[in-house]
Amino acid sequence: MTHQNDKLKNLKTSSMDRRLSIAKASLLAGTRWATANAGSFFASDEEKEKKRKKAMTDQANYLVSEIGKLKGSIVKIGQMMALYGEHFLPEEITQALNTLNNQTVALAWPAIKAHLQDQLGSKLDQLTIDHEPIGTASLAQVHRAVRKSDGQELVLKIQYPGVADAIDSDMSLFKNMLKLTRMVPQTREFDQWFDEVRDMMHREVNYSIEAATTQRFAERLKDDPRYIVPQIVDEFCAPQVLCMTFERGVPINSPVMLSLPQERRNRLGEASLEIAVREIFEWGEMQTDPNFGNYLVRLGNGADIADKIILLDFGAIRQFDEHLLSVARNLIQAGYNHDSTAMVEAMTGYEFFDSIPQSIKPDMAKVFLLATEAFSSKENNPDLPPDVMDDQERYDWKKSQLHARVMQQASRSMASRYFSVPPKEFMFISRKFIGAYTFMTVINAKTNVRKMIRDHL
């Protein structure tokens, strides 16, 4: 729990403040970099590499600690870079950026209350709001509330004042910072990726989009007893306040999850994967932030009341065009049939794929066939490791160590240089599946993905 004196009294969002502290950080980082390189002029290659790695780690940690002192969009940009950056950022930077999550400090109640009054006016009197947030993030914090008229439990997601206005200048800052450190390849893909993150940021602070998306998913899943989507409560929504029903559940990684019988964990795993499959095959839009904080589980009783997955955050939704979806479906179908010719044929009609020499595609197909191993079967996949799939075609995610094996195969692949910055959509889909794989591993579920995909082929 944060103590009152740990909380920020107000936000450092004035762009001048932010520019200065970040410019200072980048400048220092740049000079450290130069010194580290100069010092290693006479060292052996091995020594040089060690020094370079250490300098990069120091530099990345320093930048991150500076960013962590700020709030708002710059932190969120850093978090997005950590989430999607494994393909194109040096490991040292991704690791440092990954620690940003734990550095978010809450904004003190008086500042939040003043902001709420500004947003909701006299409606505020109809609510009793907890002063302590139940969650803080880089762009908003979440408070529980009760509607006085009927005792309905609610949550308010309250966006920090000034955050939305700082996005564009923060994006430029972040980009320049990375350029100054010379840690990242400056390519057209990198620029496109940056534009994409900017779009995501703007969507994430647009609460009317998030409310509409939440309602759309709630409608799709309303008759399926395995899912709960919170209801949006319009009367207490405002441009920077999103209000919805409070839904009780336990976190995915809580110890009680692992004490559930295997069967129940398998069912929860299948329910979470099925969402990802339906997003690609049916709905054409995807929740792209597979963060554990976005899920809770409401436990049943193991008999007549089923366990349910509570889906929480619909800020990071991406619509995909029909063309991309058909490419993704073809890749998945090739994985289902474990057919390398079909996999190579599916790699087409997309700028990313068309830039890869035909001779390298079979090599890249191996990476994709491995990534879709869980979709294949004992019959069609001679490379399936022993014991990762049972006779009911249930795949053992924990045993498979799939993510590590895919990364290894990708780095050995001749095509590795084409993976340096893959297209942004590709990153979203791979990120989504990595999220789903991790979910399975954490709750140690064994799931039949083939059955889900079969319904769509």
Side-chain angles (χ1 to χ4, degrees):
M1 208 63 208
T2 42
H3 298 292
Q4 192 60 34
N5 55 2
D6 293 343
K7 293 204 173 83
L8 293 172
K9 294 275 189 293
N10 56 13
L11 287 188
K12 203 171 168 186
T13 51
S14 103
S15 52
M16 204 55 210
D17 268 2
R18 301 166 79 80
R19 271 213 300 280
L20 284 171
S21 47
I22 294 168
K24 188 186 75 187
S26 325
L27 217 75
L28 271 166
T31 47
R32 288 170 180 221
W33 194 239
T35 345
N37 280 340
S40 61
F41 192 71
F42 297 107
S44 71
D45 285 352
E46 201 178 321
E47 273 297 296
K48 271 185 190 155
E49 185 52 24
K50 240 175 133 162
K51 272 195 166 153
R52 192 189 68 80
K53 267 193 154 17
K54 183 173 181 337
M56 200 178 236
T57 304
D58 288 352
Q59 185 176 6
N61 287 336
Y62 181 75
L63 283 178
V64 164
S65 71
E66 281 296 306
I67 293 170
K69 290 175 193 163
L70 300 165
K71 229 182 159 40
S73 64
I74 194 95
V75 180
K76 182 70 184 185
I77 296 163
Q79 288 165 348
M80 284 191 179
M81 289 290 158
L83 190 60
Y84 299 104
E86 67 179 347
H87 294 294
F88 64 92
L89 288 176
E91 192 185 2
E92 294 82 359
I93 300 184
T94 321
Q95 278 172 354
L97 288 173
N98 262 319
T99 64
L100 273 173
N101 272 355
N102 323 329
Q103 298 185 0
T104 344
V105 188
L107 191 56
W109 175 247
I112 284 286
K113 188 181 178 192
H115 183 42
L116 277 173
Q117 241 143 4
D118 181 45
Q119 292 284 306
L120 294 175
S122 61
K123 287 189 202 165
L124 205 53
D125 303 337
Q126 301 170 35
L127 300 173
T128 307
I129 303 173
D130 286 0
H131 293 189
E132 279 295 332
I134 52 171
T136 59
S138 42
L139 303 177
Q141 66 193 46
V142 178
H143 288 254
R144 280 183 61 178
V146 171
R147 185 163 52 195
K148 292 174 184 172
S149 60
D150 61 356
Q152 170 70 54
E153 292 185 287
L154 305 169
V155 289
L156 297 172
K157 181 175 173 182
I158 305 156
Q159 190 179 119
Y160 296 124
V163 154
D165 304 329
I167 289 177
D168 290 327
S169 62
D170 281 354
M171 284 301 300
S172 322
L173 273 174
F174 204 97
K175 192 172 181 180
N176 292 338
M177 213 158 73
L178 283 177
K179 277 189 171 156
L180 271 172
T181 60
R182 295 194 292 281
M183 296 189 201
V184 181
Q186 301 304 318
T187 58
R188 193 172 58 114
E189 286 86 359
F190 180 69
D191 289 338
Q192 285 175 345
W193 169 238
F194 242 85
D195 292 341
E196 183 60 35
V197 173
R198 178 183 283 111
D199 284 354
M200 278 158 74
M201 295 291 299
H202 281 295
R203 278 202 298 273
E204 191 130 341
V205 294
N206 185 329
Y207 283 0
S208 59
I209 293 183
E210 184 171 346
T213 312
T214 308
Q215 284 161 326
R216 211 161 46 245
F217 272 75
E219 184 57 32
R220 284 169 183 157
L221 296 168
K222 68 174 193 285
D223 299 325
D224 194 324
R226 297 172 300 166
Y227 306 102
I228 294 171
V229 178
Q231 284 172 293
I232 298 292
V233 182
D234 285 324
E235 60 184 307
F236 301 114
C237 287
Q240 294 176 4
V241 180
L242 186 63
C243 177
M244 58 189 92
T245 52
F246 173 71
E247 304 294 345
R248 275 195 172 68
V250 298
I252 298 300
N253 50 2
S254 76
V256 65
M257 288 297 294
L258 283 175
S259 66
L260 294 179
Q262 185 70 50
E263 264 318 305
R264 284 171 70 181
R265 278 180 283 130
N266 292 352
R267 277 199 292 272
L268 283 165
E270 287 186 350
S272 79
L273 260 180
E274 197 172 301
I275 291 271
V277 171
R278 290 185 72 183
E279 284 174 337
I280 290 183
F281 284 94
E282 266 178 67
W283 303 332
E285 62 176 348
M286 183 177 262
Q287 203 286 26
T288 55
D289 178 7
N291 170 347
F292 285 166
N294 295 344
Y295 305 95
L296 290 171
V297 174
R298 183 169 304 164
L299 296 171
N301 58 7
D304 52 332
I305 301 172
D307 302 313
K308 298 171 188 291
I309 292 184
I310 302 170
L311 302 169
L312 287 179
D313 187 331
F314 293 94
I317 290 279
R318 283 272 333 186
Q319 270 89 22
F320 293 122
D321 64 66
E322 205 34 61
H323 175 60
L324 172 77
L325 289 166
S326 68
V327 172
R329 291 167 194 152
N330 291 339
L331 294 169
I332 289 172
Q333 183 155 1
Y336 177 89
N337 296 322
H338 200 71
D339 179 340
S340 59
T341 315
M343 191 63 91
V344 170
E345 278 167 10
M347 295 184 197
T348 179
Y350 216 71
E351 201 184 339
F352 169 62
F353 287 133
D354 296 339
S355 68
I356 296 163
Q358 203 57 35
S359 58
I360 287 180
K361 282 188 179 174
D363 195 39
M364 195 179 246
K366 281 186 189 148
V367 180
F368 286 15
L369 285 171
L370 182 58
T372 51
E373 174 179 276
F375 309 163
S376 69
S377 71
K378 285 177 167 179
E379 282 66 52
N380 67 24
N381 185 353
D383 305 318
L384 202 64
D387 306 335
V388 300
M389 195 176 274
D390 67 13
D391 297 334
Q392 294 166 308
E393 296 189 323
R394 287 183 307 199
Y395 187 77
D396 187 329
W397 298 90
K398 195 169 187 176
K399 203 174 269 177
S400 77
Q401 296 194 318
L402 188 61
H403 186 212
R405 285 163 51 221
V406 171
M407 292 312 264
Q408 236 175 344
Q409 176 83 36
S411 63
R412 283 202 308 265
S413 165
M414 314 253 291
S416 60
R417 72 190 193 88
Y418 294 97
F419 281 115
S420 64
V421 184
K424 49 195 189 296
E425 296 83 358
F426 182 84
M427 284 202 256
F428 291 129
I429 293 175
S430 77
R431 192 66 244 175
K432 179 73 176 193
F433 278 98
I434 290 167
Y437 292 0
T438 316
F439 186 113
M440 302 303 131
T441 308
V442 168
I443 66 172
N444 195 1
K446 301 175 173 66
T447 53
N448 183 340
V449 209
R450 278 181 72 73
K451 188 173 71 207
M452 282 171 226
I453 290 172
R454 198 174 295 134
D455 294 343
H456 294 285
L457 297 183

